[in-house]
Amino acid sequence: MSNSQPAPKDFIRAIVAQDREARKFNGVVHTRFPPEPNGYLHIGHAKSICLNFGIAQEFSGLCNLRFDDTNPAKEDVEYVESIQEDVRWLGFDWQDRCFFASDYFERLYEYAVLLIRKGKAYVDSLTADEIRTYRGTLTEPGKESPYRTRSVEENLDLFSRMRAGGCEEGAHVLRAKIDMASPNINLRDPTLYRVRRVPHHRTGSDWNIYPTYDFAHPLSDSLEGITHSLCTLEFEDHRPLYDWLLDECEMACHSQQIEFARLNLTHTVMSKRKLLELIEEGHVSGWDDPRLPTLMGLRRRGYPPEAIRRFCEHIGVAKRDGVVEVNLLEHFVRETLNANAQRVMAVLRPLRVVLTNYPEGQVEELPAVNNPEDPAMGSRAVPFSRVVYIERDDFREDPPKKYFRLAPGQEVRLRYAYIIQCVNVIRDEQTGEIVEIHCTYDPETKSGSGQSARKVKGTIHWVSATHALEAEVRLFDHLFSVPDPEKDGRDYRTVLNPNSVERLRGCQVEPALQGAVAGQRFQFERQGYFCVDSDSTGQRLVFNRTVALRDSWAKIEKK
Ligand code: ATP
Ligand code: MG
């Protein structure tokens, strides 16, 4: 191969490149993404998906989707379908290679029989508790089970009876016969099969025994011709077992397991079990709650798949566990949306402004740029009239220094429109609350007309009151108020952010948003990126704030 190849981006790609060059596996690269269908995917899985599918693409190889469905008690077709949807949404294609470990149950059974015949596996009849005690500890070797010396015939007979359904759960297990004194606990006669009288979502009640992950995984990899089996670091100590099984089962393809650090993010929890708890205890609304790190949640929140892919590429893979700042993910979301989201104006907390010198009934259609980053996105017409809404926050009766927005006597530019000046503040007589403000507009200052030489320091967004559409906008903050919710073993429930969602009703948005459909993303000028929520209907628009803009105004405010 030529040495003009760029240096590999990470240690896994370095191994794959080297293997390919050495023509290990005949120069073939074949990976897999192996989710267990017992929950929905999260951003951690996205790292694994991008890695497995990405490597296959870069090395002209293939990547399989394989469901690791060996635990029927927790698994369901509902999860299978959503996982497929999420992988496709992320932008990856397994073509015709979607497999299930359960497809291999018959062959796995035969490999177990082979191990028994070779004297490398036995049926143990100790109780689960006894097995645990016999296993020993990190500092003490284990003890051999009295059933370890059962004859091959007896083992074969018992194992076939386990399969046939003649045994109670927990009565027997099949174990590999390796070494009870091994310093690696995973090699102390690990369990290969358990009796489970539970129907499986694919194989129904065909089976009364199910293989363990440790048994099924290496063999499934090998049966599929997987060359590089990428998994997270907690499986590092399982690798000797992975290799032992491939050797003892005399597999043609000896897949190579390589471990990498899992992705952890600040301000969230990632494990499926904890995500499920958050849902079941009602802290969030479901698996697609926009505050969750699930791919469904991020999709509903408005994260573009491209941003997630770029984030995964940026963080890379390493051998050491770490925590990535959620801000970094948000950075890629902003960057992606900045390039392709249409700009519109939306007023989240409206304040009515009457332009007293603007002719009653007059409407102007003012041209507005759809995306300054992308001229090809063109422009649209925004209606302007005598009454507009501006953001409550863009008016101060008693403005601090360097407040360049609207204040009594002060001028501001309405984006794409005119310079206006505040001349009067109208209050509710009872409550004293400001109900509207009166301004005059300067007809000589129309944007883009070339006639306006006059400049003011502030420009604010607005919508025309008669033309605006009403909308609900949901603002999200981190689900947890601290970066590491589980620091020192603390219960993450104690640090849930009570203000992780704020619902604003009665927001006023530009008429261009009429007919926007769920999933469409926009930049609301000066506010952030927003996505139409699935709760939207033709009558009622609902937006989620995907991510805020880095707001230079907010900084001035705090001074
Ligand atoms: P969880 O711990 O969230 O329940 P899991 O590891 O049990 O996840 P699986 O369905 O077994 O979930 O995972 C499928 C693949 O995704 C595995 O190869 C696993 O190593 C990988 N994976 C899961 N979580 C992460 C993560 N946070 N970062 C990187 N890869 C991950
Ligand atoms: Mg798992």
Coordinates of all heavy atoms in Angstrom, one line a residue, residues 220-298:
S220 N -21.3 -15.7 17.7 CA -22.1 -14.9 16.7 C -21.2 -14.1 15.8 O -21.3 -14.0 14.6 CB -23.1 -14.0 17.4 OG -23.9 -14.7 18.2
D221 N -20.2 -13.4 16.4 CA -19.2 -12.7 15.7 C -18.5 -13.5 14.6 O -18.5 -13.2 13.4 CB -18.1 -12.1 16.6 CG -18.5 -10.9 17.3 OD1 -19.5 -10.2 16.9 OD2 -17.9 -10.5 18.3
S222 N -18.1 -14.7 15.1 CA -17.3 -15.6 14.2 C -18.2 -16.1 13.1 O -17.8 -16.2 11.9 CB -16.7 -16.7 15.0 OG -16.1 -17.6 14.1
L223 N -19.5 -16.5 13.4 CA -20.4 -17.0 12.4 C -20.6 -16.0 11.3 O -20.9 -16.3 10.1 CB -21.7 -17.5 13.0 CG -21.6 -18.7 13.9 CD1 -22.9 -18.9 14.7 CD2 -21.3 -19.9 13.0
E224 N -20.6 -14.7 11.7 CA -20.9 -13.6 10.7 C -19.6 -13.2 10.0 O -19.6 -12.3 9.2 CB -21.5 -12.4 11.4 CG -23.0 -12.7 11.8 CD -23.6 -11.6 12.6 OE1 -23.1 -10.4 12.5 OE2 -24.6 -11.9 13.2
G225 N -18.5 -13.8 10.4 CA -17.2 -13.4 9.7 C -16.7 -12.0 10.2 O -16.1 -11.3 9.4
I226 N -17.1 -11.7 11.4 CA -16.7 -10.4 11.9 C -15.2 -10.4 12.1 O -14.7 -11.3 12.8 CB -17.4 -10.0 13.2 CG1 -18.9 -10.0 13.0 CG2 -16.9 -8.7 13.8 CD1 -19.4 -9.0 11.9
T227 N -14.5 -9.4 11.6 CA -13.0 -9.4 11.8 C -12.6 -8.6 13.0 O -11.8 -9.1 13.8 CB -12.4 -8.7 10.5 OG1 -12.9 -7.4 10.4 CG2 -12.7 -9.5 9.3
H228 N -13.2 -7.5 13.3 CA -12.9 -6.7 14.4 C -14.1 -6.4 15.2 O -15.1 -5.8 14.8 CB -12.2 -5.4 14.0 CG -11.0 -5.6 13.2 ND1 -11.0 -5.8 11.8 CD2 -9.7 -5.7 13.6 CE1 -9.8 -6.0 11.4 NE2 -8.9 -5.9 12.4
S229 N -14.2 -7.0 16.4 CA -15.3 -6.9 17.3 C -15.1 -5.9 18.3 O -14.4 -6.1 19.3 CB -15.5 -8.3 17.9 OG -16.6 -8.3 18.8
L230 N -15.7 -4.7 18.1 CA -15.3 -3.5 18.9 C -16.3 -3.4 20.1 O -17.6 -3.5 19.8 CB -15.4 -2.2 18.1 CG -14.6 -2.3 16.7 CD1 -14.7 -1.0 16.0 CD2 -13.2 -2.7 17.0
C231 N -15.9 -3.3 21.3 CA -16.8 -3.2 22.4 C -16.2 -2.3 23.5 O -15.0 -1.8 23.3 CB -17.0 -4.6 23.0 SG -15.5 -5.3 23.6
T232 N -16.9 -2.1 24.5 CA -16.5 -1.1 25.5 C -15.6 -1.8 26.6 O -15.6 -3.0 26.7 CB -17.7 -0.4 26.1 OG1 -18.8 -1.3 26.3 CG2 -18.2 0.7 25.2
L233 N -14.9 -0.9 27.3 CA -13.8 -1.4 28.2 C -14.1 -2.5 29.2 O -13.3 -3.3 29.6 CB -13.2 -0.2 28.9 CG -12.2 0.7 28.2 CD1 -11.7 1.8 29.1 CD2 -11.0 -0.1 27.6
E234 N -15.4 -2.5 29.6 CA -15.8 -3.4 30.7 C -15.6 -4.9 30.2 O -15.6 -5.8 31.0 CB -17.2 -3.1 31.3 CG -18.3 -3.4 30.3 CD -18.7 -2.2 29.5 OE1 -17.9 -1.3 29.2 OE2 -19.9 -2.2 29.0
F235 N -15.5 -5.0 28.9 CA -15.3 -6.4 28.4 C -13.9 -6.8 28.2 O -13.6 -7.9 27.7 CB -16.1 -6.5 27.0 CG -17.6 -6.5 27.2 CD1 -18.2 -5.3 26.8 CD2 -18.3 -7.5 27.7 CE1 -19.6 -5.2 27.0 CE2 -19.6 -7.5 27.9 CZ -20.3 -6.3 27.5
E236 N -13.0 -5.9 28.6 CA -11.5 -6.3 28.5 C -11.2 -7.6 29.2 O -10.5 -8.4 28.6 CB -10.7 -5.1 29.0 CG -9.3 -5.2 28.6 CD -8.5 -3.9 28.9 OE1 -9.1 -3.0 29.6 OE2 -7.4 -3.8 28.4
D237 N -11.7 -7.7 30.4 CA -11.4 -9.0 31.1 C -12.1 -10.2 30.6 O -11.9 -11.3 31.1 CB -11.8 -8.8 32.6 CG -10.9 -7.8 33.3 OD1 -9.8 -7.5 32.7 OD2 -11.3 -7.2 34.4
H238 N -13.1 -10.0 29.7 CA -13.8 -11.1 29.1 C -13.0 -11.6 27.8 O -13.4 -12.6 27.3 CB -15.2 -10.7 28.7 CG -16.1 -10.3 29.8 ND1 -17.3 -10.9 30.1 CD2 -15.9 -9.4 30.8 CE1 -17.8 -10.3 31.1 NE2 -17.0 -9.4 31.6
R239 N -12.1 -10.8 27.4 CA -11.4 -11.2 26.1 C -10.8 -12.6 26.1 O -10.9 -13.3 25.2 CB -10.4 -10.1 25.7 CG -9.8 -10.4 24.3 CD -9.1 -9.3 23.6 NE -8.8 -8.2 24.4 CZ -7.6 -7.8 24.8 NH1 -6.6 -8.6 24.6 NH2 -7.5 -6.7 25.5
P240 N -10.1 -12.9 27.2 CA -9.5 -14.3 27.3 C -10.6 -15.4 27.1 O -10.3 -16.4 26.4 CB -8.9 -14.4 28.7 CG -8.6 -13.0 29.0 CD -9.7 -12.2 28.4
L241 N -11.8 -15.1 27.6 CA -12.9 -16.1 27.4 C -13.4 -16.1 26.0 O -13.6 -17.1 25.4 CB -14.0 -15.8 28.4 CG -15.3 -16.6 28.2 CD1 -15.0 -18.1 28.4 CD2 -16.4 -16.1 29.2
Y242 N -13.4 -14.9 25.4 CA -13.8 -14.7 24.0 C -12.9 -15.6 23.1 O -13.3 -16.4 22.3 CB -13.7 -13.2 23.7 CG -14.2 -12.8 22.3 CD1 -15.4 -12.2 22.1 CD2 -13.3 -12.9 21.2 CE1 -15.8 -11.8 20.9 CE2 -13.7 -12.5 19.9 CZ -15.0 -11.9 19.8 OH -15.4 -11.5 18.5
D243 N -11.6 -15.4 23.4 CA -10.6 -16.2 22.6 C -10.7 -17.7 22.9 O -10.6 -18.5 21.9 CB -9.2 -15.6 22.9 CG -9.0 -14.2 22.3 OD1 -9.6 -13.9 21.3 OD2 -8.2 -13.5 22.8
W244 N -10.8 -18.0 24.1 CA -10.9 -19.4 24.5 C -12.1 -20.1 23.8 O -11.9 -21.2 23.2 CB -11.1 -19.5 26.0 CG -11.1 -20.9 26.6 CD1 -10.0 -21.6 27.1 CD2 -12.2 -21.8 26.7 NE1 -10.3 -22.9 27.5 CE2 -11.7 -23.0 27.3 CE3 -13.6 -21.7 26.5 CZ2 -12.5 -24.1 27.6 CZ3 -14.4 -22.8 26.8 CH2 -13.9 -24.0 27.3
L245 N -13.2 -19.4 23.7 CA -14.4 -20.1 23.1 C -14.2 -20.2 21.6 O -14.5 -21.3 21.1 CB -15.6 -19.2 23.4 CG -16.2 -19.4 24.8 CD1 -17.2 -18.3 25.1 CD2 -16.9 -20.8 24.9
L246 N -13.6 -19.2 21.0 CA -13.4 -19.3 19.5 C -12.4 -20.5 19.2 O -12.6 -21.3 18.3 CB -12.9 -18.0 18.9 CG -13.9 -16.8 18.9 CD1 -13.3 -15.6 18.2 CD2 -15.2 -17.2 18.3
D247 N -11.4 -20.6 20.1 CA -10.4 -21.7 19.9 C -11.1 -23.1 20.1 O -11.0 -24.0 19.3 CB -9.2 -21.5 20.8 CG -8.4 -20.4 20.4 OD1 -8.4 -20.0 19.2 OD2 -7.6 -19.8 21.2
E248 N -11.7 -23.2 21.3 CA -12.3 -24.5 21.7 C -13.4 -24.9 20.8 O -13.7 -26.1 20.6 CB -12.7 -24.5 23.2 CG -11.5 -24.4 24.1 CD -10.5 -25.6 24.0 OE1 -10.9 -26.6 23.4 OE2 -9.4 -25.4 24.5
C249 N -14.2 -24.0 20.3 CA -15.3 -24.3 19.3 C -14.7 -24.5 17.9 O -15.5 -24.8 17.0 CB -16.4 -23.3 19.4 SG -17.2 -23.3 21.0
E250 N -13.4 -24.3 17.8 CA -12.8 -24.6 16.5 C -13.4 -23.8 15.3 O -13.7 -24.3 14.3 CB -12.8 -26.1 16.2 CG -12.0 -26.9 17.2 CD -12.4 -28.4 17.2 OE1 -12.7 -28.9 16.2 OE2 -12.3 -29.0 18.3
M251 N -13.6 -22.5 15.7 CA -14.2 -21.6 14.7 C -13.3 -21.3 13.6 O -12.1 -21.0 13.8 CB -14.7 -20.3 15.4 CG -15.6 -20.5 16.6 SD -17.1 -21.4 16.1 CE -18.0 -20.2 15.2
A252 N -13.8 -21.2 12.3 CA -13.0 -20.9 11.2 C -12.5 -19.4 11.2 O -11.3 -19.1 10.9 CB -13.8 -21.1 9.9
C253 N -13.3 -18.5 11.7 CA -12.9 -17.1 11.7 C -12.7 -16.7 13.2 O -13.5 -16.8 14.0 CB -14.1 -16.2 11.2 SG -13.8 -14.5 11.4
H254 N -11.4 -16.3 13.4 CA -11.1 -15.9 14.8 C -11.2 -14.4 14.9 O -10.2 -13.6 14.7 CB -9.8 -16.4 15.3 CG -9.6 -16.2 16.8 ND1 -9.5 -17.3 17.6 CD2 -9.6 -15.1 17.6 CE1 -9.4 -16.8 18.9 NE2 -9.5 -15.5 18.9
S255 N -12.4 -13.9 15.2 CA -12.6 -12.5 15.3 C -11.8 -11.9 16.4 O -11.4 -12.6 17.4 CB -14.1 -12.2 15.7 OG -15.0 -13.0 14.9
Q256 N -11.4 -10.6 16.2 CA -10.5 -10.0 17.2 C -11.3 -9.0 18.0 O -11.8 -8.0 17.4 CB -9.4 -9.3 16.5 CG -8.4 -8.6 17.5 CD -7.3 -7.9 16.7 OE1 -7.2 -8.0 15.5 NE2 -6.4 -7.3 17.5
Q257 N -11.4 -9.2 19.3 CA -12.1 -8.2 20.2 C -11.2 -7.1 20.5 O -10.0 -7.3 20.9 CB -12.6 -8.9 21.4 CG -13.2 -7.9 22.4 CD -13.8 -8.5 23.7 OE1 -14.6 -9.5 23.6 NE2 -13.3 -8.0 24.8
I258 N -11.7 -5.8 20.3 CA -10.9 -4.6 20.7 C -11.8 -3.7 21.6 O -12.9 -3.5 21.2 CB -10.4 -3.9 19.5 CG1 -9.7 -4.8 18.5 CG2 -9.5 -2.7 19.9 CD1 -9.4 -4.1 17.2
E259 N -11.3 -3.3 22.7 CA -12.1 -2.5 23.6 C -11.7 -1.0 23.5 O -10.6 -0.6 23.3 CB -11.9 -3.0 25.1 CG -12.0 -4.4 25.3 CD -10.7 -5.2 25.0 OE1 -9.6 -4.6 25.0 OE2 -10.7 -6.4 24.8
F260 N -12.8 -0.2 23.7 CA -12.6 1.2 23.7 C -13.4 1.8 24.9 O -14.3 1.2 25.4 CB -12.9 1.9 22.4 CG -14.4 1.7 22.0 CD1 -15.3 2.7 22.3 CD2 -14.8 0.6 21.4 CE1 -16.6 2.6 22.0 CE2 -16.2 0.4 21.1 CZ -17.1 1.4 21.4
A261 N -13.1 3.1 25.2 CA -13.8 3.7 26.4 C -15.2 4.1 26.0 O -15.4 4.6 24.9 CB -13.0 4.9 26.8
R262 N -16.1 3.9 26.9 CA -17.5 4.3 26.6 C -17.6 5.9 26.7 O -16.8 6.5 27.3 CB -18.6 3.6 27.4 CG -18.4 3.6 28.9 CD -19.6 3.0 29.6 NE -19.9 1.7 29.1 CZ -21.2 1.2 28.8 NH1 -22.2 2.1 28.8 NH2 -21.4 0.0 28.4
L263 N -18.6 6.4 26.0 CA -18.9 7.8 26.1 C -19.7 8.1 27.3 O -20.7 7.5 27.6 CB -19.7 8.2 24.8 CG -20.3 9.6 24.9 CD1 -19.2 10.7 25.0 CD2 -21.2 9.9 23.7
N264 N -19.2 9.1 28.1 CA -20.0 9.6 29.2 C -20.2 11.1 29.0 O -19.2 11.7 28.5 CB -19.3 9.4 30.5 CG -19.1 7.9 30.8 OD1 -20.1 7.2 30.9 ND2 -17.9 7.5 31.0
L265 N -21.3 11.7 29.3 CA -21.6 13.1 29.1 C -21.9 13.7 30.4 O -22.5 13.1 31.3 CB -22.8 13.3 28.2 CG -22.7 13.3 26.7 CD1 -24.0 13.6 26.1 CD2 -21.6 14.3 26.2
T266 N -21.5 15.0 30.5 CA -21.9 15.7 31.8 C -23.4 16.0 31.8 O -24.0 16.0 30.7 CB -21.2 17.1 31.9 OG1 -21.5 17.8 30.7 CG2 -19.6 16.9 32.0
H267 N -23.9 16.2 33.0 CA -25.3 16.7 33.2 C -26.3 15.6 32.7 O -27.5 16.0 32.5 CB -25.6 18.0 32.5 CG -24.8 19.1 33.1 ND1 -25.2 19.7 34.2 CD2 -23.7 19.8 32.7 CE1 -24.3 20.7 34.5 NE2 -23.4 20.7 33.6
T268 N -25.9 14.4 32.6 CA -26.9 13.4 32.2 C -26.5 12.0 32.8 O -25.5 11.8 33.3 CB -27.1 13.3 30.7 OG1 -28.3 12.6 30.4 CG2 -25.9 12.7 30.0
V269 N -27.5 11.1 32.7 CA -27.1 9.7 32.9 C -27.3 8.9 31.6 O -28.1 9.3 30.8 CB -28.0 9.0 34.1 CG1 -27.7 9.7 35.4 CG2 -29.4 9.1 33.8
M270 N -26.6 7.8 31.5 CA -26.6 7.2 30.2 C -27.2 5.7 30.2 O -27.6 5.3 29.2 CB -25.2 7.2 29.7 CG -25.1 7.0 28.2 SD -25.3 8.6 27.4 CE -23.6 9.1 27.1
S271 N -27.1 5.1 31.3 CA -27.5 3.7 31.3 C -29.0 3.5 31.0 O -29.8 4.2 31.5 CB -27.0 2.9 32.5 OG -28.1 2.6 33.3
K272 N -29.3 2.4 30.3 CA -30.7 2.2 29.9 C -31.5 2.0 31.2 O -32.7 2.4 31.2 CB -30.8 0.9 29.1 CG -30.4 1.2 27.6 CD -30.6 -0.1 26.8 CE -29.3 -0.9 26.8 NZ -29.2 -1.9 25.7
R273 N -30.9 1.3 32.2 CA -31.7 1.1 33.4 C -32.1 2.4 34.1 O -33.2 2.6 34.5 CB -30.9 0.2 34.4 CG -31.6 -0.2 35.6 CD -30.7 -1.1 36.5 NE -29.4 -0.5 36.9 CZ -29.3 0.4 37.8 NH1 -30.3 0.9 38.5 NH2 -28.1 0.9 38.1
K274 N -31.2 3.3 34.1 CA -31.5 4.6 34.8 C -32.4 5.4 33.9 O -33.3 6.1 34.5 CB -30.2 5.4 35.1 CG -29.4 4.7 36.2 CD -28.0 5.2 36.3 CE -27.2 4.2 37.1 NZ -25.8 4.3 36.8
L275 N -32.3 5.4 32.6 CA -33.2 6.1 31.8 C -34.6 5.6 32.0 O -35.6 6.3 32.1 CB -32.8 6.0 30.3 CG -31.4 6.6 29.9 CD1 -31.0 6.2 28.5 CD2 -31.4 8.1 30.1
L276 N -34.7 4.3 32.1 CA -36.0 3.6 32.3 C -36.6 4.1 33.7 O -37.8 4.4 33.8 CB -35.9 2.1 32.3 CG -37.2 1.3 32.4 CD1 -38.1 1.7 31.2 CD2 -36.9 -0.2 32.4
E277 N -35.7 4.2 34.7 CA -36.2 4.7 36.0 C -36.8 6.1 35.9 O -37.8 6.4 36.4 CB -35.1 4.6 37.0 CG -34.8 3.3 37.6 CD -33.5 3.2 38.4 OE1 -32.9 4.3 38.6 OE2 -33.1 2.1 38.8
L278 N -36.0 6.9 35.2 CA -36.5 8.3 35.0 C -37.9 8.4 34.4 O -38.7 9.2 34.8 CB -35.5 9.1 34.1 CG -34.1 9.5 34.8 CD1 -33.2 10.0 33.7 CD2 -34.3 10.5 35.9
I279 N -38.1 7.5 33.4 CA -39.4 7.5 32.8 C -40.5 6.9 33.7 O -41.5 7.5 33.9 CB -39.3 6.6 31.5 CG1 -38.3 7.3 30.5 CG2 -40.6 6.4 30.9 CD1 -37.8 6.4 29.4
E280 N -40.1 5.8 34.3 CA -41.2 5.1 35.1 C -41.5 5.9 36.3 O -42.7 5.9 36.8 CB -40.7 3.7 35.5 CG -40.8 2.8 34.3 CD -40.3 1.4 34.6 OE1 -39.6 1.1 35.6 OE2 -40.7 0.5 33.8
E281 N -40.6 6.7 36.8 CA -40.9 7.5 38.0 C -41.5 8.9 37.6 O -41.7 9.7 38.5 CB -39.6 7.7 38.9 CG -39.2 6.4 39.5 CD -37.9 6.4 40.2 OE1 -37.4 7.5 40.4 OE2 -37.3 5.3 40.4
G282 N -41.6 9.1 36.3 CA -42.3 10.3 35.9 C -41.5 11.6 35.9 O -42.0 12.7 35.8
H283 N -40.1 11.4 36.0 CA -39.3 12.6 35.9 C -39.2 13.2 34.5 O -38.9 14.4 34.3 CB -37.9 12.3 36.4 CG -37.9 11.7 37.8 ND1 -38.3 12.4 38.9 CD2 -37.5 10.5 38.3 CE1 -38.2 11.7 40.0 NE2 -37.7 10.5 39.6
V284 N -39.4 12.3 33.5 CA -39.5 12.8 32.1 C -40.7 12.1 31.5 O -41.3 11.2 32.1 CB -38.2 12.4 31.3 CG1 -37.0 13.1 31.9 CG2 -38.0 10.9 31.4
S285 N -41.1 12.5 30.3 CA -42.3 12.1 29.7 C -42.3 10.8 29.0 O -43.3 10.1 28.8 CB -42.9 13.2 28.8 OG -42.0 13.4 27.7
G286 N -41.1 10.3 28.6 CA -41.0 9.1 27.9 C -39.6 9.0 27.3 O -38.8 9.9 27.5
W287 N -39.4 7.9 26.5 CA -38.1 7.7 25.9 C -37.7 8.8 25.0 O -36.5 9.0 24.7 CB -38.0 6.3 25.1 CG -38.0 5.2 26.0 CD1 -39.0 4.4 26.4 CD2 -36.8 4.6 26.7 NE1 -38.5 3.4 27.3 CE2 -37.2 3.5 27.4 CE3 -35.4 5.0 26.7 CZ2 -36.3 2.7 28.1 CZ3 -34.5 4.2 27.4 CH2 -35.0 3.1 28.1
D288 N -38.7 9.5 24.4 CA -38.4 10.6 23.5 C -38.4 12.0 24.1 O -38.5 13.0 23.4 CB -39.2 10.5 22.2 CG -40.7 10.8 22.5 OD1 -41.1 10.8 23.7 OD2 -41.5 11.0 21.6
D289 N -38.4 12.0 25.4 CA -38.4 13.3 26.1 C -37.1 14.1 25.6 O -36.0 13.5 25.7 CB -38.3 13.1 27.6 CG -38.5 14.4 28.3 OD1 -37.6 15.3 28.2 OD2 -39.5 14.6 29.1
P290 N -37.3 15.3 25.2 CA -36.2 16.0 24.6 C -35.1 16.3 25.5 O -34.0 16.8 25.1 CB -36.8 17.4 24.1 CG -38.3 17.1 24.0 CD -38.6 16.0 25.0
R291 N -35.2 16.0 26.8 CA -34.2 16.3 27.8 C -33.3 15.0 27.9 O -32.2 15.1 28.6 CB -34.7 16.6 29.1 CG -35.4 18.0 29.1 CD -36.2 18.2 30.4 NE -37.4 17.3 30.4 CZ -38.2 17.2 31.4 NH1 -38.1 17.9 32.5 NH2 -39.3 16.3 31.3
L292 N -33.7 13.9 27.4 CA -32.9 12.7 27.5 C -31.8 12.6 26.5 O -32.0 13.1 25.4 CB -33.9 11.5 27.4 CG -34.8 11.2 28.6 CD1 -35.6 10.0 28.3 CD2 -34.1 11.1 29.9
P293 N -30.8 11.8 26.8 CA -29.7 11.6 25.8 C -30.0 10.5 24.9 O -29.1 10.0 24.1 CB -28.5 11.3 26.7 CG -29.1 10.6 27.9 CD -30.4 11.2 28.1
T294 N -31.3 10.0 24.8 CA -31.6 8.9 23.9 C -31.6 9.6 22.5 O -31.9 10.8 22.3 CB -33.1 8.4 24.2 OG1 -34.0 9.5 24.2 CG2 -33.1 7.6 25.5
L295 N -31.4 8.7 21.5 CA -31.4 9.3 20.1 C -32.8 9.8 19.8 O -33.0 10.8 19.1 CB -31.0 8.2 19.1 CG -29.5 7.8 19.3 CD1 -29.0 6.8 18.2 CD2 -28.6 9.0 19.3
M296 N -33.9 9.1 20.3 CA -35.2 9.6 20.1 C -35.5 10.9 20.7 O -36.2 11.8 20.1 CB -36.2 8.6 20.8 CG -36.5 7.3 20.1 SD -37.6 6.4 21.3 CE -39.1 6.5 20.3
G297 N -34.9 11.1 21.9 CA -35.0 12.4 22.6 C -34.3 13.5 21.9 O -34.8 14.6 21.7
L298 N -33.1 13.2 21.4 CA -32.3 14.2 20.7 C -32.9 14.5 19.4 O -32.9 15.7 19.0 CB -30.8 13.7 20.5 CG -30.1 13.4 21.8 CD1 -28.7 12.9 21.5 CD2 -30.0 14.6 22.7

